[in-house]
Amino acid sequence: MTIKQIETLKTPKIIQQIESIIKPLEFLERSAKNYGELFFTSFFANLETLVVSHPQDLQELFNPTNKFLDAPGTANEIFKPLLGENSLIVQNGEHHQKLRKLIMPPFHGEQMLNHGQQICDITRQAIRCLKLGETFIARHLSEDITMTVILKVVFGINDGLRFEKLKNLITTWLDLTSSPLHASVLLLPYLQKDLGAWSPWGIFLRLRQQIDEELMAEILERRQQVQPLRFDILSLLIEAEDENGEAMSDVEVRDNLLTLLNAGHETIATAIAWALYWIHQQPEVYEKVLYELQSLNTSDPIKIAQLPYLTAICQETLRIYPVILFTFPRITIRSVNLRGYHVTSGTYVLPCIYLTHRREDLYPQPEKFQPERFINRKYSSYEFWPFGGGSRQCLGQVFALFEMKLILATILLNYQLKLEEKKPVTPARRGFLLAPQGGVKMSLVANTGC
Ligand code: HEM
């Protein structure tokens, strides 16, 4: 068999970095059009990386029995100043897997299902603050809801001074990532210079320090007043032990709380803002999902989460504009042949979720929002994979879909909303995420709940 040559982008590194920050989708689409389904880039963290998106290549690489890939935490060093050096995301090999096992249980199974009613109540409370006819930004509403879910459900911090303080600090901190300037500071390590309290990186570090102090105080209080029968995820993390009976240290708990907060707040909030946009942009989608929800005749969160059309809406939302464009980088630990292309051992690989989700052969008219795709066809985990794959696959994916469906169902069943702008909403980078530009302007038309 002849070995095919993988091409390298010819544009200078700095141009690739700027384009990938300012216009990431155009950059990816143009690169795929000009260089094919496998190409080398150097826009990510100063590394030469191979962008992969063909389902066959993903299957070859991610299939656990093949053992072609490692998911080194050292490739995620850019997250260290953000999340701390004990964050799951920057751990390597065995330690990474051990930590995952400690953190994972509360996000699956019964523990998670117990939180369903709390998520619906938080949603009702947040939307109650809106007045009839009032214009609001959907992303702000969903951020308010998902932040409260994280603080109450994951951290177990209920109302009070610390709740308000953390909510404000974290909102300001995360908002810093919204502008391209601050996104550049996060994405390009050489810009991370503390030039005083007013410099972009200086503001960032000082806020992180204040958040750290609040989280540490909460962890210490929690350790001192052991309260049995607490089911929030922080209590479970504090108590969790590995097979040798070892628990996490305070700084490990703190860094991983911050990791869960970063990974699990804006991601879901962004997905919900997109879903609200698509549902209200297409009247037939709105009518169909409302009919499905109203026909259910129960408010049981578990039954709501099993609804097929609501599920398809969430899947199509995460397909059309995946909230995260790439997985974390991987590295090949032995050479591999991908459809005739030879990839040597030691190659950094950047699997691209967006390019897979935009394949015409899998998703005809990929730019159209059509939840029916997911009713009519079952996609493999190499064709539809908004949560990544392999050893670093999103730890909160079950929780994320559960929360997303419950928040959407509660809003749709109790409130009639409308889009305030006729023009299509376009995607824009928000830190590491792909979010709706402007956050989706909507208004509250009627209160339809009982
Ligand atoms: C719509 C919502 C979400 C999306 C689209 C999403 C997507 C992703 C993706 C693409 C990755 C990288 C996977 C890889 O490299 O293969 C990831 C990792 C991760 N996600 Fe999520 N995520 C979401 C929500 C959440 C939630 C709710 C949590 C927890 C509260 C969470 C926790 C994490 C963690 C801890 C990792 C790192 C895993 C590791 O390093 O082993 N995510 N997520």
Side-chain angles (χ1 to χ4, degrees):
M1 200 208 306
T2 52
I3 301 288
K4 295 184 270 182
Q5 196 64 38
I6 303 173
E7 286 195 64
T8 302
L9 258 60
K10 293 184 184 70
T11 9
K13 191 200 280 189
I14 183 77
I15 304 287
Q16 290 184 39
Q17 289 178 337
I18 293 170
E19 276 197 298
S20 69
I21 288 172
I22 296 175
K23 289 200 170 294
L25 302 188
E26 288 85 340
F27 169 71
L28 284 172
E29 278 161 15
R30 203 180 47 255
S31 305
K33 194 163 156 241
N34 295 341
Y35 295 89
E37 290 171 312
L38 278 172
F39 51 88
F40 278 107
T41 64
S42 40
F43 69 87
F44 182 82
N46 279 334
L47 292 172
E48 175 163 269
T49 46
L50 177 65
V51 174
V52 183
S53 59
H54 193 296
Q56 212 177 307
D57 298 345
L58 296 172
Q59 181 159 16
E60 189 67 10
L61 289 169
F62 278 107
N63 184 336
T65 51
N66 289 346
K67 296 198 169 53
F68 280 128
L69 289 184
D70 184 22
T74 32
N76 302 332
E77 294 268 313
I78 55 165
F79 293 98
K80 252 190 192 168
L82 189 69
L83 304 173
E85 54 188 43
N86 299 290
S87 165
L88 176 73
I89 287 171
V90 297
Q91 305 311 313
N92 292 303
E94 246 179 67
H95 184 61
H96 169 247
Q97 287 307 306
K98 248 169 93 176
L99 201 54
R100 252 181 96 92
K101 269 199 205 142
L102 277 179
I103 301 176
M104 185 86 96
F107 290 98
H108 285 262
E110 236 174 82
Q111 297 285 10
M112 182 199 71
L113 298 177
N114 284 338
H115 299 301
Q117 201 48 54
Q118 208 182 350
I119 295 172
C120 297
D121 293 344
I122 291 170
T123 308
R124 261 188 233 104
Q125 250 174 27
I127 208 164
R128 227 175 262 148
C129 300
L130 297 175
K131 295 185 192 69
L132 278 185
E134 188 183 0
T135 301
F136 66 94
I137 301 293
R139 206 199 60 241
H140 294 169
L141 174 72
S142 59
E143 277 177 357
D144 188 35
I145 299 170
T146 59
M147 171 72 79
T148 309
V149 169
I150 285 274
L151 290 179
K152 289 193 174 174
V153 174
V154 179
F155 294 9
I157 302 175
N158 281 302
D159 301 288
L161 204 60
R162 182 160 299 138
F163 174 88
E164 287 305 327
K165 210 167 165 190
L166 266 172
K167 194 169 171 180
N168 290 336
L169 281 171
I170 294 165
T171 308
T172 318
W173 194 52
L174 294 175
D175 267 352
L176 278 181
T177 63
S178 59
S179 73
L181 171 69
H182 285 100
S184 318
V185 176
L186 280 182
L187 294 165
L188 306 173
Y190 51 81
L191 296 180
Q192 293 172 359
K193 303 242 158 44
D194 184 1
L195 302 173
W198 298 104
S199 64
W201 193 241
I203 299 173
F204 211 80
L205 291 181
R206 280 157 187 80
L207 271 166
R208 170 146 188 187
Q209 177 67 28
Q210 289 180 60
I211 296 170
D212 272 3
E213 283 164 14
E214 288 300 320
L215 289 179
M216 228 33 191
E218 180 69 26
I219 295 166
L220 290 179
E221 258 173 48
R222 220 50 96 73
R223 286 215 196 268
Q224 278 156 7
Q225 329 155 346
V226 183
Q227 291 178 9
L229 300 177
R230 282 197 71 142
F231 293 113
D232 60 81
I233 292 167
L234 169 55
S235 301
L236 298 172
L237 286 184
I238 287 177
E239 283 163 23
E241 287 180 352
D242 64 16
E243 61 273 22
N244 303 322
E246 273 179 54
M248 275 188 258
S249 67
D250 289 346
V251 281
E252 267 183 311
V253 173
R254 180 203 63 198
D255 288 358
N256 285 296
L257 276 185
L258 212 53
T259 302
L260 294 173
L261 193 139
N262 266 273
H265 155 59
E266 273 204 302
T267 42
I268 310 187
T270 303
I272 290 168
W274 273 124
L276 286 173
Y277 168 68
W278 291 116
I279 292 169
H280 292 86
Q281 199 235 14
Q282 301 194 20
E284 61 287 1
V285 173
Y286 176 72
E287 276 156 30
K288 228 168 144 175
V289 70
L290 197 63
Y291 177 76
E292 188 186 58
L293 285 167
Q294 286 170 339
S295 310
L296 190 62
N297 278 330
T298 163
S299 56
D300 179 352
I302 297 169
K303 292 272 182 311
I304 293 176
Q306 287 165 346
L307 289 173
Y309 195 65
L310 179 64
T311 303
I313 286 181
C314 294
Q315 289 169 315
E316 180 67 346
T317 299
L318 293 172
R319 183 215 47 99
I320 193 163
Y321 290 127
V323 174
I324 299 181
L325 297 175
F326 296 95
T327 71
F328 292 113
R330 305 295 202 264
I331 190 165
T332 51
I333 45 178
R334 57 196 185 94
S335 61
V336 48
N337 186 305
L338 299 175
R339 292 173 300 110
Y341 293 95
H342 180 73
V343 179
T344 53
S345 173
T347 303
Y348 276 101
V349 175
L350 205 50
C352 180
I353 299 167
Y354 177 76
L355 287 176
T356 315
H357 285 188
R358 287 301 179 117
R359 291 180 68 89
E360 188 89 43
D361 58 345
L362 295 175
Y363 305 100
Q365 297 185 293
E367 70 296 343
K368 294 234 156 81
F369 184 82
Q370 295 173 344
E372 285 72 13
R373 304 176 197 277
F374 287 91
I375 305 276
N376 301 332
R377 179 175 167 176
K378 194 161 167 28
Y379 290 96
S380 78
S381 55
Y382 306 108
E383 295 170 335
F384 174 66
W385 64 309
F387 298 102
S391 60
R392 270 193 200 273
Q393 189 175 43
C394 177
L395 189 142
Q397 61 170 314
V398 181
F399 185 75
L401 279 175
F402 184 63
E403 182 180 345
M404 194 177 163
K405 288 184 219 174
L406 294 187
I407 294 174
L408 285 173
T410 310
I411 295 177
L412 295 170
L413 276 170
N414 292 287
Y415 304 92
Q416 192 185 336
L417 309 177
K418 85 170 170 41
L419 290 176
E420 275 298 306
E421 284 175 338
K422 295 247 173 326
K423 62 177 193 324
V425 170
T426 49
R429 182 187 278 286
R430 213 180 129 77
F432 293 103
L433 308 184
L434 189 68
Q437 178 107 50
V440 186
K441 216 183 228 182
M442 303 191 85
S443 64
L444 177 60
V445 177
N447 187 335
T448 53
C450 3

